[in-house]
Amino acid sequence: YRMPDCRDYDESYGCGHIDENRILTILLDNNNKIVTYSGLFYYPVEKPKEIEYGKNGIRKELIRKNKIVHEYSANIGKPNNGLIVIIKPSKNSNYGNLVDILDEMKITGIKSYSILDEFTPEESKLLASK
């Protein structure tokens, strides 16, 4: 995988701003629970939703989102910009779930992703409520 670099960012904001239309956050929790949202937490492009593992769950969602982001990027003149995935495993998730998500990145051809272990208080509340 590769970390996003300056070419992935919107030039009007410089290197400090990623186009939120390209971001998908995946929250991993216990009991094989996945919650995803697109964009920024307070200004989501798509609101948080719970999703399953497997080809009809997270894989289908990754393929769908990547297609949407590629179409969006092509429309703004940046056809090579794809989906950026932020994977956040909670302390309650298991290592196997993280491996499964990393496998999905490979299967779906998503090359720009990162793993963060910091949850915002809002994300923690979201997992607790779902």
Side-chain angles (χ1 to χ4, degrees):
Y1 84 98
R2 68 178 187 81
M3 291 294 290
D5 61 27
C6 285
R7 290 171 302 194
D8 294 322
Y9 297 92
D10 182 336
E11 288 89 9
S12 64
Y13 294 98
C15 282
H17 179 79
I18 299 175
D19 185 341
E20 65 273 5
N21 291 297
R22 296 178 55 210
I23 300 171
L24 176 69
T25 301
I26 300 176
L27 307 176
L28 306 178
D29 205 14
N30 63 345
N31 299 322
N32 298 325
K33 183 158 73 169
I34 306 173
V35 175
T36 67
Y37 65 91
S38 297
L40 305 175
F41 190 85
Y42 287 111
Y43 304 100
V45 175
E46 290 181 8
K47 291 189 183 331
K49 62 183 171 187
E50 199 166 330
I51 200 157
E52 302 289 320
Y53 282 90
K55 67 179 183 179
N56 292 319
I58 189 64
R59 186 176 310 162
K60 191 173 182 180
E61 179 70 1
L62 289 166
I63 291 167
R64 182 186 74 82
K65 283 300 298 178
N66 203 25
K67 183 174 186 266
I68 289 169
V69 168
H70 274 289
E71 289 170 359
Y72 162 79
S73 295
N75 285 337
I76 62 168
K78 299 180 181 187
N80 296 325
N81 286 359
L83 186 63
I84 297 169
V85 178
I86 300 170
I87 303 164
K88 293 187 171 187
S90 77
K91 290 177 177 65
N92 299 324
S93 67
N94 65 58
Y95 184 72
N97 291 154
L98 179 59
V99 170
D100 289 343
I101 291 296
L102 294 176
D103 285 346
E104 294 295 346
M105 295 299 118
K106 189 166 185 72
I107 290 166
T108 57
I110 294 170
K111 299 195 178 356
S112 191
Y113 61 88
S114 60
I115 301 167
L116 302 176
D117 61 359
E118 290 183 25
F119 276 68
T120 65
E122 294 78 17
E123 288 170 334
S124 296
K125 284 182 201 165
L126 179 66
L127 284 182
S129 70
K130 290 276 180 189

